[in-house]
Amino acid sequence: MTTVWRGLFLLPLLIVVGNCNIPFLDEISNPSHGLMNFFGGNNNDAPTNDGGNTGDGGVFFKTDGKGNDDKGDVDTATPKVGGGDVKSTNYKGIWELFTENSGVSAMHLVILPKIDQALMFDATIWNISKINLPPPCRKLDDTGKEDCFAHSVLMDIETAELRPLRIEHDTWCSSGALDINGQLVSTGGYNNGSDTVRYLADGKATEWEEFPGALGRGRWYSTQVTLGDGRFMVFGGRNMPSYEFVPAKGQKNTLQQVIDFPFLAQTNDKNENNLYPHIYLSTDGNLFIFANDRSILLNPNTNQIVFEFPVLPGGSRNYPASGSSCLLPIKLKPDDNRRIIPAEVLICGGAQKESFTLTDFKRPKEFPEANRDCARIDITKRNGKWKIQNMPSPRVMGDAVLLPNGEHVLIVNGAKAGTAGWDDARNPNLTPVLYKIRGGQGSKKFKELKHSDIPRMYHSSFALLPDAKVMIAGSNTNPGYYDNALFPTETRIEKFSPHYFDPNLDKYRVQIQAENSPNQIKYGHKFTVQVTVQDEKMNEADVKVTIYYPAFTTHGISMNQRLIELGLYQVKESGSETFDIDVQAPMNGNIAPPGYYMLFVNFKSVPCRRAIWVQLL
């Protein structure tokens, strides 16, 4: 019976591989590794699903015998606190276990505006998760079987309450971004989802709308980017060296609307190393595109490459040699009329070009050390050079989080050895690192913070929250849901409170008065944010107002993550412990694309108690 079960499960996957001629389909196609290797040996390790109700979160798993309380609990030890400002604090943060079970392992994660819900989803192909789908069950294609598990959930970021969502077209390794109204637009995925465009509105009762066939080409491991006018483009995907504009809702692209992109073919190694390219909208309207070890500027209006940057030495930084990246905070001035607004990109970690061959194909597996370097470059200069410094430890599959005070990047998640892929990494990197954006050289550029106890390996994710904490989720190195693997499928969610949560700094944590502050701002217009703070006087030198565009995170890629420091006019006392802060919205969409942002007020580099959502139009 076991042989029959394996055959039925694998037959459609092998047909796809054979018909699609995917030579490096590492997650499925090679019989010496990947999926087949996981289903060999102990038959009890394979996921099962008979379509019934488990009665307990929809789980058909063994436990690892360790229980659920030995990892990720709140750190009850008194953390070391420091001085009276962020620069001098020795506080290394604190971890809290937010929930034991998120229902699905968060391969993809994004915060939806206004409703304070985290959207998490993984893949439909496994036909299993840790939460049931409300009736009726999902009908599987041409098999007569049913899938009664949810593969997408909404989670309240304060209570952890879950609502399972029905999704039909496979989202495995897909892409996405929020539109001007705060709706998620998701593209691509696997098999029947590869050419699908999906929509999820920002209401608590919302459900997915799916449009298969909307893309001109199927896209798996592609990157979606938002342009200054709010349109989306989607780049690449496995064996897809091309890009296209995402069509309007309900419309379909033709092959004539797919644009060949030889750059992605040129950067494709035998191990790929160029999937999920790092892409950012520059302040001049061009797109910075980094794949493998090369990077260019592409004019999205003319489809012409306008500049190529120097090669970044030292290995590869894209899947499966997955490094992390971010567009560093953009700093504006009031009435900013500069012709060029500087913008820099940071890329950290990754792996050597040959690492995936050693981890995924060689037997026994080898796990080379990951890259240690962090490199940054000004993408608005034509003579820019990479500035490279080393992190305290190697890291692959990490995430780069823009913190709301605009002074640090939090580098978190990932492993110290190996690559992305099924069981292709070892030595979890449990210690988050602060990268100092301005100032500092060598070891002073980085600061290690409090470590977690939960490995966050392949398929991990993060989200910056309105209270300035960082949600950490996901991790699944297995083709399915396994509790007894070396790195079990992870559905625990943590929240990390960074260094600015030092109790000594709590007096600087202002409260935004939402009722006296706008929820919609216009390009170039001046507006006022009102805050309250006890026993402190505020002035312009100690205040920053920032807006943060929520990232769509997956595979170490933070699509469209963006932080802008607004031009500040004045801070004036307007009442007892109350201050009005006059700032200016960004001048145009190339600086900040239209849509919903979290607005933070930072006093003495300490973020406010809670951001407010503002729509930039």
Side-chain angles (χ1 to χ4, degrees):
M1 183 62 188
T2 299
T3 303
V4 173
W5 184 89
R6 286 179 180 168
L8 290 174
F9 186 87
L10 292 171
L11 181 59
L13 302 181
L14 296 176
I15 290 173
V16 170
V17 173
N19 290 343
C20 295
N21 187 27
I22 306 177
F24 300 109
L25 191 53
D26 57 273
E27 304 195 12
I28 293 179
S29 62
N30 195 310
S32 67
H33 65 291
L35 192 62
M36 295 184 183
N37 187 46
F38 271 81
F39 286 179
N42 185 353
N43 296 333
N44 293 328
D45 287 349
T48 59
N49 175 17
D50 63 4
N53 193 318
T54 66
D56 184 21
V59 186
F60 284 96
F61 312 104
K62 297 179 178 179
T63 65
D64 58 8
K66 299 178 182 178
N68 291 322
D69 296 326
D70 61 336
K71 288 185 178 181
D73 293 344
V74 173
D75 185 351
T76 56
T78 302
K80 185 176 181 181
V81 297
D85 59 53
V86 166
K87 293 180 181 179
S88 63
T89 181
N90 294 316
Y91 188 78
K92 293 193 174 183
I94 193 167
W95 292 87
E96 60 180 289
L97 181 61
F98 180 54
T99 181
E100 290 276 3
N101 182 17
S102 58
V104 302
S105 188
M107 180 187 298
H108 314 83
L109 173 60
V110 66
I111 300 296
L112 296 185
K114 300 180 290 185
I115 62 173
D116 287 338
Q117 299 276 316
L119 172 65
M120 298 176 284
F121 53 96
D122 58 358
T124 65
I125 190 173
W126 314 124
N127 303 328
I128 194 166
S129 69
K130 290 193 175 184
I131 187 170
N132 286 111
L133 188 68
C137 295
R138 190 172 68 94
K139 303 292 183 181
L140 300 182
D141 295 341
D142 304 323
T143 64
K145 293 187 176 182
E146 294 182 330
D147 175 8
C148 296
F149 295 94
H151 307 289
S152 173
V153 298
L154 280 174
M155 182 181 72
D156 189 292
I157 63 174
E158 299 298 335
T159 67
E161 180 182 356
L162 295 174
R163 185 168 77 85
L165 300 174
R166 181 180 304 273
I167 197 161
E168 298 289 345
H169 299 84
D170 204 340
T171 51
W172 185 13
C173 304
S174 54
S175 49
L178 298 173
D179 72 4
I180 190 172
N181 294 312
Q183 174 178 237
L184 178 70
V185 181
S186 169
T187 53
Y190 177 67
N191 200 3
N192 70 351
S194 66
D195 61 2
T196 299
V197 179
R198 311 166 193 83
Y199 298 84
L200 189 77
D202 60 357
K204 291 186 178 181
T206 188
E207 294 287 348
W208 284 101
E209 291 184 84
E210 302 176 73
F211 295 87
L215 296 178
R217 288 289 191 186
R219 300 194 180 275
W220 194 25
Y221 298 89
S222 58
T223 300
Q224 185 173 325
V225 63
T226 308
L227 300 181
D229 59 6
R231 292 179 299 162
F232 301 117
M233 298 174 72
V234 58
F235 283 79
R238 179 160 273 155
N239 291 337
M240 283 297 159
S242 62
Y243 62 87
E244 55 191 291
F245 289 84
V246 177
K249 190 174 183 178
Q251 297 184 10
K252 293 185 177 183
N253 281 350
T254 65
L255 287 178
Q256 288 68 40
Q257 292 169 293
V258 175
I259 302 163
D260 289 336
F261 194 33
F263 174 74
L264 289 180
Q266 296 162 8
T267 53
N268 185 51
D269 291 342
K270 66 177 182 179
N271 294 329
E272 298 176 317
N273 289 332
N274 73 339
L275 298 181
Y276 275 130
H278 302 290
I279 305 179
Y280 297 102
L281 175 68
S282 181
T283 54
D284 60 7
N286 291 313
L287 294 176
F288 173 83
I289 303 174
F290 185 102
N292 198 325
D293 58 3
R294 291 174 55 191
S295 51
I296 61 166
L297 283 179
L298 176 76
N299 185 322
N301 298 311
T302 65
N303 300 313
Q304 298 297 310
I305 293 176
V306 297
F307 186 74
E308 179 159 2
F309 296 94
V311 169
L312 178 57
S316 302
R317 277 84 178 178
N318 296 89
Y319 182 93
S322 301
S324 59
S325 73
C326 63
L327 180 72
L328 292 175
I330 298 168
K331 182 178 175 63
L332 301 179
K333 303 174 182 178
D335 300 317
D336 210 331
N337 59 2
R338 286 174 291 174
R339 186 177 64 86
I340 297 176
I341 305 294
E344 293 182 273
V345 166
L346 179 73
I347 299 178
C348 295
Q352 296 302 302
K353 287 180 176 290
E354 68 278 5
S355 291
F356 184 72
T357 297
L358 300 176
T359 62
D360 201 76
F361 290 92
K362 189 173 182 179
R363 293 297 179 271
K365 287 173 175 277
E366 294 182 10
F367 301 95
E369 184 176 271
N371 290 358
R372 287 176 173 265
D373 56 355
C374 267
R376 65 191 281 179
I377 194 168
D378 189 329
I379 62 175
T380 61
K381 292 182 178 178
R382 298 300 180 262
N383 60 348
K385 296 181 179 180
W386 291 101
K387 300 175 183 177
I388 303 173
Q389 293 182 301
N390 284 334
M391 297 181 286
S393 59
R395 195 181 300 260
V396 64
M397 300 181 294
D399 284 294
V401 188
L402 293 172
L403 295 181
N405 63 11
E407 296 182 4
H408 293 94
V409 176
L410 180 72
I411 304 169
V412 68
N413 297 340
K416 296 180 181 179
T419 67
W422 300 134
D423 192 39
D424 284 342
R426 293 291 186 271
N427 199 1
N429 197 325
L430 301 172
T431 303
V433 172
L434 279 181
Y435 172 85
K436 189 176 183 180
I437 295 173
R438 295 179 181 88
Q441 294 294 325
S443 62
K444 294 183 179 180
K445 198 74 175 173
F446 301 91
K447 182 179 181 179
E448 292 186 311
L449 301 181
K450 175 68 177 178
H451 69 82
S452 172
D453 293 323
I454 301 178
R456 299 291 181 177
M457 306 287 278
Y458 187 38
H459 292 145
S460 297
S461 55
F462 80 87
L464 179 67
L465 300 177
D467 61 4
K469 295 180 181 179
V470 180
M471 178 179 286
I472 302 294
S475 185
N476 192 7
T477 69
N478 315 295
Y481 277 61
Y482 294 78
D483 277 359
N484 56 354
L486 175 62
F487 299 109
T489 303
E490 194 56 72
T491 56
R492 288 174 292 179
I493 303 288
E494 296 170 284
K495 288 183 179 180
F496 180 62
S497 300
H499 60 302
Y500 44 64
F501 279 90
D502 182 341
N504 285 336
L505 304 179
D506 189 67
K507 59 186 177 181
Y508 303 131
R509 197 172 301 282
V510 306
Q511 180 72 49
I512 298 179
Q513 301 302 302
E515 66 277 9
N516 294 325
S517 303
N519 57 21
Q520 190 177 89
I521 57 179
K522 302 287 187 180
Y523 283 111
H525 285 206
K526 181 179 177 180
F527 65 97
T528 300
V529 180
Q530 188 175 92
V531 302
T532 56
V533 61
Q534 292 184 351
D535 303 324
E536 293 290 334
K537 293 296 183 181
M538 302 179 69
N539 58 59
E540 290 82 1
D542 292 329
V543 173
K544 289 182 186 177
V545 179
T546 57
I547 56 173
Y548 177 84
Y549 189 99
F552 178 93
T553 63
T554 184
H555 291 76
I557 299 295
S558 309
M559 298 183 200
N560 299 293
Q561 181 181 212
R562 211 171 186 91
L563 185 80
I564 295 95
E565 181 182 339
L566 301 182
L568 176 65
Y569 288 104
Q570 66 175 344
V571 177
K572 56 187 178 183
E573 191 167 3
S574 57
S576 176
E577 300 180 335
T578 303
F579 294 83
D580 289 346
I581 305 170
D582 295 337
V583 289
Q584 184 183 32
M587 301 300 291
N588 59 65
N590 292 332
I591 298 171
Y596 276 88
Y597 291 74
M598 297 182 207
L599 183 146
F600 291 89
V601 174
N602 305 274
F603 178 38
K604 293 185 181 291
S605 300
V606 178
C608 52
R609 298 191 181 279
R610 191 170 194 85
I612 60 172
W613 288 102
V614 295
Q615 186 183 31
L616 175 60
L617 295 171

